[in-house]
Amino acid sequence: MSYRFQDLRPAVAFALVTLWSSAGVAVRAQTETAGTLLPIPVVDLRGVDDAVRTQIAEQRRLLEEALAAGPPAEEDAARLGLLFGEAGQLYLVYDLLPAARACLANAAQLQPQSFRWRYLLGSAAEHLGELEVAIAAYEQARALEPDDPPTAIRLGRVHLELGQYEQARTHYERALELPGSQAAAHFGLGRLAFETDDPTAALAHFQAALKDQPRANSLHYHVALAHRALGNDQASQAAMELRGEAPVAFADPIAAEIKESATGIGAQLLLGRVALAANAFEVAEQRFREAVGNYPESTAAKRSLAAALERMGRSAEAAMWYQQALDLSPNDAGLLFQTGRLYNAERRFVAAAERLRRAAELEPSFGPAWVELAAALTATGDHLAAAEALTRALELAPGDTNLRFHRARNYGLGERRELALREFESLLADLGANAEILLQLGRIEQELGRPASAARRFEQLIAAGAEPALLSRAHFELANIRTEQERYEEAIPHYQRAIIANPTLKAGYVNLSTALGRLGRFQEAALASRRALELDPTDSQVRAAELTALLLAGEDAQVRLMLEQTLELPDQGGSAYFAVLLVQVLAASADDEVRDGERALNLARQLFQRAQTPAHGTVLAMAYAESDNFEEAAAWQERLIENLERTGPPEALEEARERLAAYKAGRKIRAPWRR
Amino acid sequence: MRAVPGGVAVWVASALLPAFAGAGEGDVLFVDATRSAGLDFRHWNGMSGQLYYPEVVGAGAALFDYDNDGDLDLYLVQGNLLGADGDRTRATVPWTGEGPTRDRLLRNDLEHSNGRATIRFVDVTEESGISAFGYGMGVTAADLDNDGWTDLYVLNLGGNQLWRNEGDGTFTDRTEASGADDPRWSIAAAAADYDGDLDLDLFVVNYLNFSLITHKTCLTERGEIDYCLPSAYQPVPDRLLRNDGAGRFTDATVEAGLSAKRPGNGLGVLVADLDGDRRLDFYVANDLMPNHLWINVGNGALAEEGLISGAALNADGEAEASMGVAGGDYDGDGDLDLFLTHFHRETNTLYRNDSEPRAPVFRDRTNAAALARPSWDATSFGTVFLDLDLDGWLDLAVVNGAVTFAAGRPRTEDDPFPLDQPNQAFLNVPGKRGGRRFEAAQTGLLDGASAHVSRALVSGDIDNDGDTDLVITNNNGPARLLLNQAGTGDDWIGLAPRLADAQGRRPASGVTVRVHRDGAPPLVRLAGASGSYASSGDPRVTVSLGGATVARVEVHWSDGTVEEWPAPPPGAYTDLVRGAGAQRTRTQDEQR
């Protein structure tokens, strides 16, 4: 019984992206015109985001034009070097490392005094795992700028990875002397010491790094391990408690500039996505707004902005930008889906259904669109259409029990009960005694007029056990069946268990009150109604039930007091009913202390003047009789009978005639509610 | 690259050799016996263009002796169609096999004639009664009902299956009756006696909350559609199933304390006594999340000590995308070290075990062991420690295959799924500053002549000649059998630790074997089938002696007892049945 069906909502963050079908643009190797320059590996750009592709293609075009002009003159070499360098940076941004490495090597060759290109060449090689190439490039960069802290840190790191500890130590110790890199240098030296089984030195370096950069709380992990290696278990545990995710940082202006220097919408969107991935929402929003401003015709920019706003919880703005993106690309299934999903979340189900249907029809193999559509249709009450959408989703995921469950529910709600029954029974066969399925089966059996079968389902559920909410529902439904069968003694314990399992089940108290009342246990019935009223003090029907039970229990004085208080309450929905009841109590209570004929008559007259209804006529006659004016009572009763003879139910007519006979005989009515 | 030393009998495999610059005939250690042994199995991942995550994850295999005839049979896990409305014609790569896709059981009809072994695998799936048609991921083989016949626990995307070995060549589905089902996406399991009652419990490793409905479309930073990373989904919890001794399982996940820890994206699992306290612990390789080290603290309770022990994160303090895990004493100091395989642009990671009893300590020694750079560009899965060159030191084998296009080669029309990567082998050699390090080895067929998208690496002595052979499974590709040609002499011992039953046939799992040699430190080996990736290996151990004389052997059982046996005969396997050896009391140091 442990399986729980989930809400009908696919847990997806989805973006439909159309694959590019056109061939990518390839840069041909131009070694014959550029002397010893390295060829640039062909990068296949099919499938790449159009903005990114455009940006890379533009950079390539510039390079191709420069290379087509033939071997560069000396004065042109620097310009060509710049073009290669910029292309290399761009490839680095987009993680196209072999192309980046070749471009940067060419740039370094054409601009031999450029520190930047050698540094970035080292970075590209390092990312490619070509550590010797990286070391060579970093060393050349160091020769140009011996005091550059990031170069020293990177050299230390690469040597460390190669297990070349002495070289690593040299570079880290050099970095210690340079501004802005002490924490990273201490961290490197700490790692080096730890790897060479010197935890004492490691601990000192990690602590020094932490002192220099307290925000780098990932260092606590290393401090903890060093303590443990030294046998300081308590200190180790304490440090581990402080561990976080923030790494040791060092200023690396060139790496930071790469992203900034890349231009075009692709870069802007990329930066935005990077910020979004880091949960830096405001930065992401700013990037995407810049992209939208610079490229107002870009669907991707508007979609990205909308997605960021959605992540920030600004649904209305997100919906607006999705709509603007849709205006540009009305048949973009991904956008339609995202918009529809957002509308669903905002409970704009009709609009959601319209968009989701279009999304699903455009991309019929995308299951979440059908599921989300089904959720929208379910909410609008179009259950058969929802079931149809779920059928489509199930064609994509035939074994998904959650979808089958919701389809069956929709069949049930759409009054295709036999279909629902079959589906639920099939699910039951697959999943065993599942509480939710048994509950649904019971309800459908009830709707089909099969109380015995329904009761068996609920009993099966109860026997198998379930979480309290489901157990409460089962007891409640079973109790209702027993009540309808007038088996009140059996109904009562089930109502009570339903209430125990769910103490806020108002209907449980109400129906319990009814069942108790039917057995003549009026005090208990009144108490049950009182509990229901405590849960919902505005429910006038429950209040009426409580009063009726009290009257039947002979608590007339209490009822009179409660009625008087009730009628003073503002916005009491059933005030006319309660006024009629009060007149009856004043005019017909068996308790002499409660009756007040004059007040009853005044109140009854007011009621009749307000509305000439049979109920008002009845209590007016009753009030006259209590005031010993039997003639008027009989006259009003006769008028009532005339009216009832035309429109009233036979049993009401019979009772009215009995009262007329009483009035004509000079008898007053007493406690008519006990009939 | 260093060549495998001479002095071992090898024979040249094929024209693949020219692919290795500088390699000579004596360099080839393995021959491809796939075809000659009749191993005809091709994994099918059922991809249909949607890039469903599970397509690139499976599948595993098991080497186990299902008919108790003394040789290793083979169970291979199969994939299935995902999505595409169930229409196989819409699969990107058509299914070319006969009938429906299903797991396969292959019987090894091993024959020895004139000192030469002949392996012939015969497909006995149909007569075995095994009908495993799910989307398979992994498998573990173990005697789960204590009847002396090895059963199978198959892990799937969806419900797992427990197949009970009836001892007559057939299996029956006992999934429901055993209580061992798990409807989630399971990858691997370890069978081990964690509670010391001498039956085998199950630790089931689950991965992510993927379904066709939760499927996501993921993009590279260039906006290309690619397979997702695990961060696109939510991890699902692992599960511990306690065996009642007759093959019925009780979910002990909560009572053991597993649910107290945030779930991980579990892919691999190893069972062994990792902290030297004579209780079996579990190490779980999690994908892009800290790995879990579940230290057995007794009374059925496990405590997660991955972080504090240093075994959860690499030396940079970063969680890596762990896939496979191997356990072995690479530095010969008597405890079991760990080797983890990872995603590209991460190194595979070697954790040296520096634990004291009940105080686990692991240190990342990847750089010192020279294992960082060789794995930088590979996405590695199955891995085993094995003595490739029979020098008594444990070497490493790793199989590779990308899971994203971004980590592979560029996609082209001619090469639409370029995820294949060469496999690797490393020899354990003396370090430059003491200790041990690893050098890439030329082993012919293992290290890359014909690259596939490899997943499971299953080791075992398939021809019973004392060296370690390999089965490699390939995603959407053929399974391969690589026979090791190193071991043809008698300078080895084979040990099969078994739990006692009437016939003494129940293979133990996760126990440690120590081989004491005259004038040399003892050799420690982990027996049992766990580790690597999604698979289950030879439960026996083979130990190369390098000319040394064995004084005695010792088994550390899962209930904490230790037994000794005199030197077993060389060049053969010896059963070490619990209760049949001489009980050894703990040393003062061990008691402490």
Side-chain angles (χ1 to χ4, degrees):
Chain A
M1 301 291 277
S2 58
Y3 187 86
R4 288 282 286 120
F5 291 97
Q6 305 299 308
D7 286 346
L8 192 51
R9 190 78 74 235
V12 291
F14 170 74
L16 268 184
V17 175
T18 309
L19 273 168
W20 284 98
S21 55
S22 58
V25 182
V27 173
R28 290 184 302 279
Q30 298 286 331
T31 49
E32 71 278 12
T33 57
T36 58
L37 295 180
L38 293 176
I40 311 303
V42 174
V43 176
D44 188 346
L45 292 176
R46 283 171 300 173
V48 170
D49 187 284
D50 60 341
V52 177
R53 195 172 64 123
T54 304
Q55 191 183 9
I56 291 175
E58 175 63 16
Q59 193 70 42
R60 282 177 173 170
R61 189 185 61 76
L62 292 172
L63 257 180
E64 279 183 330
E65 282 177 8
L67 289 166
E74 196 170 334
E75 62 273 21
D76 292 334
R79 183 180 163 273
L80 189 59
L82 183 65
L83 282 174
F84 269 117
E86 285 176 344
Q89 289 185 155
L90 193 63
Y91 287 130
L92 263 185
V93 168
Y94 293 121
D95 201 34
L96 297 162
L97 294 179
R101 179 189 49 193
C103 284
L104 290 164
N106 290 345
Q109 184 187 332
L110 290 162
Q111 291 189 316
Q113 294 308 305
S114 167
F115 166 83
R116 184 187 190 88
W117 304 142
R118 296 194 186 284
Y119 181 81
L120 288 175
L121 174 60
S123 176
E126 190 183 347
H127 279 93
L128 280 165
E130 297 173 355
L131 302 188
E132 278 84 2
V133 176
I135 287 173
Y138 287 141
E139 287 289 4
Q140 288 167 351
R142 193 167 73 97
L144 292 168
E145 289 192 24
D147 293 334
D148 181 60
T151 308
I153 295 293
R154 285 173 180 267
L155 273 167
R157 193 168 68 192
V158 176
H159 280 297
L160 181 62
E161 193 147 317
L162 283 168
Q164 297 167 349
Y165 296 126
E166 288 314 310
Q167 294 95 320
R169 185 190 312 281
T170 301
H171 290 293
Y172 280 133
E173 285 179 347
R174 171 83 182 123
L176 266 186
E177 298 165 3
L178 300 172
S181 58
Q182 280 84 0
H186 275 302
F187 177 58
L189 287 166
R191 276 203 50 196
L192 197 159
F194 201 68
E195 285 204 16
T196 50
D197 293 325
D198 185 355
T200 304
L203 180 61
H205 281 298
F206 292 142
Q207 287 175 328
L210 196 52
K211 187 178 177 187
D212 190 61
Q213 206 171 101
R215 283 177 305 166
N217 55 13
S218 64
L219 279 165
H220 291 293
Y221 170 77
H222 300 278
V223 170
L225 291 195
H227 273 307
R228 189 166 170 97
L230 290 166
N232 307 329
D233 284 353
Q234 278 193 331
S236 177
Q237 287 284 0
M240 196 62 86
E241 296 288 322
L242 298 171
R243 171 186 167 260
E245 302 291 334
V248 181
F250 61 96
D252 191 348
I254 292 181
E257 278 173 30
I258 289 175
K259 289 178 179 173
E260 297 297 333
S261 66
T263 56
I265 186 171
Q268 285 181 5
L269 293 181
L270 175 64
L271 292 171
R273 282 199 291 269
V274 169
L276 202 57
N279 292 336
F281 298 121
E282 289 176 4
V283 176
E285 181 190 355
Q286 184 190 341
R287 297 289 188 197
F288 292 140
R289 283 195 187 279
E290 286 166 9
V292 167
N294 293 334
Y295 301 88
E297 298 304 311
S298 166
T299 304
K302 289 177 177 172
R303 183 211 302 265
S304 300
L305 176 57
L309 292 166
E310 188 181 354
R311 287 273 300 275
M312 295 164 79
R314 288 153 63 181
S315 302
E317 289 174 81
M320 184 194 80
W321 284 107
Y322 276 134
Q323 188 55 55
Q324 289 209 19
L326 263 179
D327 292 343
L328 291 170
S329 304
N331 290 320
D332 185 317
L335 277 172
L336 286 163
F337 172 78
Q338 283 161 317
T339 313
R341 195 173 50 130
L342 198 62
Y343 284 164
N344 255 354
E346 292 183 325
R347 309 184 65 77
R348 295 164 63 185
F349 298 117
V350 175
E354 185 267 326
R355 280 158 181 77
L356 290 165
R357 183 173 292 287
R358 281 168 56 203
E361 286 170 353
L362 283 164
E363 287 287 342
S365 63
F366 181 55
W370 292 111
V371 177
E372 198 73 46
L373 172 61
L377 292 168
T378 302
T380 60
D382 194 349
H383 297 294
L384 293 182
E388 177 59 27
L390 288 166
T391 299
R392 299 296 298 270
L394 273 164
E395 288 167 4
L396 300 167
D400 193 312
T401 48
N402 204 45
L403 296 182
R404 287 166 62 197
F405 177 83
H406 284 286
R407 182 170 68 171
R409 276 202 72 187
N410 273 291
Y411 279 140
L413 293 166
E415 300 187 357
R416 300 286 294 275
R417 295 190 183 94
E418 292 293 349
L419 266 178
L421 207 60
R422 279 204 295 276
E423 182 84 69
F424 279 130
E425 280 176 340
S426 161
L427 273 168
L428 201 62
D430 290 348
L431 294 178
N434 181 283
E436 290 192 64
I437 297 172
L438 287 167
L439 188 68
Q440 295 296 331
L441 277 168
R443 284 176 175 166
I444 292 169
E445 301 268 26
Q446 268 182 294
E447 288 165 6
L448 288 167
R450 302 169 190 164
S453 302
R456 274 198 298 277
R457 302 287 193 188
F458 296 132
E459 284 166 350
Q460 194 183 348
L461 191 164
I462 291 163
E467 62 179 86
L470 291 171
L471 211 51
S472 173
R473 298 301 302 175
H475 278 296
F476 180 70
E477 299 290 353
L478 185 54
N480 286 344
I481 291 172
R482 299 298 179 230
T483 297
E484 285 167 12
Q485 293 170 331
E486 300 185 358
R487 293 156 66 178
Y488 304 118
E489 294 282 8
E490 292 173 49
I492 286 167
H494 284 295
Y495 284 131
Q496 288 168 335
R497 283 178 204 146
I499 290 164
I500 289 167
N502 178 11
T504 62
L505 184 65
K506 188 183 90 173
Y509 288 110
V510 173
N511 291 7
L512 173 62
S513 173
T514 305
L516 288 164
R518 295 286 164 83
L519 291 172
R521 294 157 64 177
F522 301 121
Q523 288 285 9
E524 293 169 76
L527 193 60
S529 293
R530 169 59 33 187
R531 295 282 171 269
L533 264 182
E534 286 167 4
L535 292 170
D536 182 6
T538 66
D539 191 328
S540 54
Q541 288 191 347
V542 177
R543 191 175 296 278
E546 181 195 18
L547 293 166
T548 304
L550 285 170
L551 278 176
L552 291 167
E555 301 289 347
D556 295 15
Q558 188 184 347
V559 172
R560 176 178 165 175
L561 184 63
M562 288 169 65
L563 280 168
E564 287 166 346
Q565 288 171 346
T566 300
L567 289 168
E568 287 171 10
L569 292 174
D571 302 325
Q572 190 57 40
S575 60
Y577 172 84
F578 295 124
V580 168
L581 195 57
L582 180 57
V583 175
Q584 287 192 69
V585 171
L586 292 168
S589 170
D591 186 342
D592 295 343
E593 298 295 317
V594 172
R595 286 197 310 279
D596 183 342
E598 186 179 344
R599 189 159 169 234
L601 189 56
N602 284 338
L603 195 52
R605 282 173 174 153
Q606 288 172 28
L607 284 173
F608 196 80
Q609 280 174 2
R610 201 180 303 159
Q612 296 177 7
T613 67
H616 292 167
T618 301
V619 294
L620 184 58
M622 202 182 287
Y624 273 120
E626 180 56 27
S627 305
D628 296 320
N629 189 345
F630 293 103
E631 193 176 333
E632 277 293 322
W636 280 103
Q637 197 65 19
E638 280 172 346
R639 276 186 232 168
L640 185 65
I641 288 170
E642 283 174 24
N643 188 279
L644 286 173
E645 282 174 340
R646 287 197 302 275
T647 59
E651 59 274 17
L653 190 60
E654 184 186 345
E655 187 183 357
R657 284 176 175 151
E658 285 176 16
R659 287 190 183 182
L660 176 61
Y663 298 149
K664 285 184 173 174
R667 286 202 319 272
K668 297 175 180 176
I669 304 299
R670 286 290 173 265
W673 43 82
R674 290 195 178 153
R675 288 168 60 89
Chain B
M1 299 257 280
R2 202 175 78 94
V4 173
V8 291
V10 294
W11 55 280
V12 180
S14 69
L16 293 168
L17 279 174
F20 300 93
E25 290 188 356
D27 298 331
V28 177
L29 202 60
F30 289 97
V31 292
D32 189 334
T34 309
R35 181 171 293 185
S36 65
L39 173 53
D40 180 18
F41 177 87
R42 188 175 185 87
H43 178 262
W44 189 62
N45 69 11
M47 59 185 172
S48 56
Q50 299 297 314
L51 306 192
Y52 293 123
Y53 197 138
E55 291 167 4
V56 289
V57 178
L63 281 169
F64 72 120
D65 184 6
Y66 92 98
D67 49 3
N68 281 335
D69 67 348
D71 57 38
L72 294 171
D73 310 295
L74 178 59
Y75 186 86
L76 290 151
V77 179
Q78 183 57 285
N80 211 325
L81 185 70
L82 275 180
D85 299 329
D87 180 358
R88 281 166 185 259
T89 63
R90 287 167 56 188
T92 308
V93 176
W95 166 245
T96 54
E98 289 179 12
T101 49
R102 64 190 297 187
D103 297 359
R104 293 284 174 185
L105 176 63
L106 307 181
R107 189 183 64 222
N108 182 1
D109 288 349
L110 176 65
E111 289 181 1
H112 283 93
S113 172
N114 299 324
R116 185 182 173 85
T118 306
I119 298 166
R120 193 166 65 91
F121 279 119
V122 178
D123 190 332
V124 292
T125 313
E126 201 63 48
E127 51 263 50
S128 75
I130 295 176
S131 52
F133 295 99
Y135 198 102
M137 288 289 150
V139 60
T140 195
D143 179 8
L144 296 172
D145 56 357
N146 294 342
D147 66 350
W149 298 92
T150 303
D151 312 297
L152 288 167
Y153 187 65
V154 181
L155 303 116
N156 292 319
L157 172 67
N160 298 335
Q161 287 183 304
L162 193 155
W163 291 100
R164 185 173 73 186
N165 189 337
E166 300 293 349
D168 59 358
T170 69
F171 290 75
T172 53
D173 186 349
R174 299 284 295 170
T175 311
E176 193 172 340
S178 67
D181 188 19
D182 194 319
R184 296 166 295 187
W185 183 5
S186 307
I187 305 291
D193 172 26
Y194 85 99
D195 51 0
D197 63 357
L198 298 175
D199 56 33
L200 298 179
D201 312 292
L202 280 171
F203 191 108
V204 182
V205 173
N206 292 318
Y207 192 32
L208 302 168
N209 70 337
F210 172 89
S211 74
L212 289 184
I213 290 304
T214 59
H215 164 66
K216 296 175 183 177
T217 301
C218 291
L219 306 178
T220 68
E221 50 207 341
R222 299 183 292 273
E224 302 152 296
I225 296 180
D226 205 341
Y227 285 104
C228 291
L229 296 177
S231 50
Y233 298 93
Q234 293 296 314
V236 289
D238 300 331
R239 200 170 173 214
L240 181 62
L241 299 170
R242 191 179 61 240
N243 196 338
D244 72 351
R248 283 184 299 275
F249 292 89
T250 302
D251 191 337
T253 311
V254 174
E255 69 179 49
L258 260 67
S259 54
K261 189 77 183 174
R262 188 182 169 214
N265 305 322
L267 285 175
V269 59
L270 178 86
V271 59
D273 175 12
L274 292 170
D275 61 347
D277 69 347
R278 298 196 181 177
R279 296 189 185 107
L280 293 186
D281 313 301
F282 296 97
Y283 185 87
V284 181
N286 289 322
D287 192 356
L288 272 177
M289 296 177 78
N291 295 329
H292 288 155
L293 172 59
W294 291 103
I295 291 293
N296 192 333
V297 294
N299 297 321
L302 303 174
E304 207 291 296
E305 300 195 16
L307 273 181
I308 198 70
S309 70
L313 309 174
N314 68 9
D316 274 326
E318 292 166 349
E320 298 179 289
S322 297
M323 324 278 192
V325 53
D329 181 16
Y330 88 95
D331 53 356
D333 67 350
D335 53 27
L336 296 170
D337 312 293
L338 296 168
F339 182 70
L340 274 294
T341 57
H342 295 131
F343 197 46
H344 92 134
R345 295 196 199 164
E346 292 176 341
T347 71
N348 292 335
T349 302
L350 178 71
Y351 291 101
R352 189 182 75 197
N353 192 339
D354 290 340
S355 301
E356 298 289 329
R358 288 178 289 282
V361 173
F362 288 85
R363 293 183 180 140
D364 182 341
R365 287 295 177 267
T366 312
N367 293 338
L371 284 167
R373 186 170 44 163
S375 56
W376 183 255
D377 216 26
T379 299
S380 303
F381 277 82
T383 182
V384 292
F385 278 111
L386 73 174
D387 187 356
L388 276 171
D389 51 358
L390 308 184
D391 65 350
W393 292 96
L394 288 177
D395 312 301
L396 274 169
V398 181
V399 296
N400 302 315
V403 291
T404 63
F405 300 121
R409 299 185 304 278
R411 281 178 99 178
T412 65
E413 273 182 21
D414 295 336
D415 191 11
F417 294 98
L419 303 178
D420 55 288
Q421 294 176 333
N423 299 324
Q424 295 168 299
F426 301 95
L427 290 177
N428 187 333
V429 299
K432 290 173 184 166
R433 289 174 294 275
R436 308 296 298 181
R437 67 188 174 89
F438 289 86
E439 282 189 357
Q442 292 177 340
T443 58
L445 297 170
L446 176 61
D447 55 339
S450 55
H452 287 284
V453 186
S454 297
R455 291 295 176 256
L457 175 62
V458 198
S459 63
D461 185 3
I462 299 171
D463 50 5
N464 283 344
D465 66 351
D467 56 26
T468 305
D469 310 303
L470 299 171
V471 170
I472 299 172
T473 67
N474 294 304
N475 183 277
N476 226 37
R480 296 172 69 210
L481 169 61
L482 301 187
L483 283 186
N484 192 332
Q485 298 303 303
T488 55
D490 284 343
D491 192 25
W492 61 279
I493 55 172
L495 304 170
R498 295 178 185 276
L499 299 168
D501 73 344
Q503 290 81 31
R505 293 179 309 203
R506 297 167 49 208
S509 177
V511 303
T512 308
V513 176
R514 284 172 191 265
V515 177
H516 294 271
R517 301 176 292 177
D518 289 333
L523 296 173
V524 174
R525 296 291 183 265
L526 176 62
S530 72
S532 192
Y533 175 75
S535 59
S536 189
D538 192 344
R540 307 168 299 178
V541 296
T542 57
V543 182
S544 305
L545 301 174
T549 306
V550 174
R552 59 192 165 86
V553 297
E554 159 184 315
V555 178
H556 292 229
W557 298 104
S558 56
D559 63 349
T561 58
V562 179
E563 288 180 316
E564 290 181 351
W565 281 262
Y573 281 94
T574 301
D575 285 347
L576 305 176
V577 181
R578 187 183 170 280
Q583 190 101 7
R584 184 170 78 68
T585 53
R586 296 183 184 198
T587 64
Q588 201 170 16
D589 186 50
E590 286 169 335
Q591 284 172 343
R592 179 168 53 80

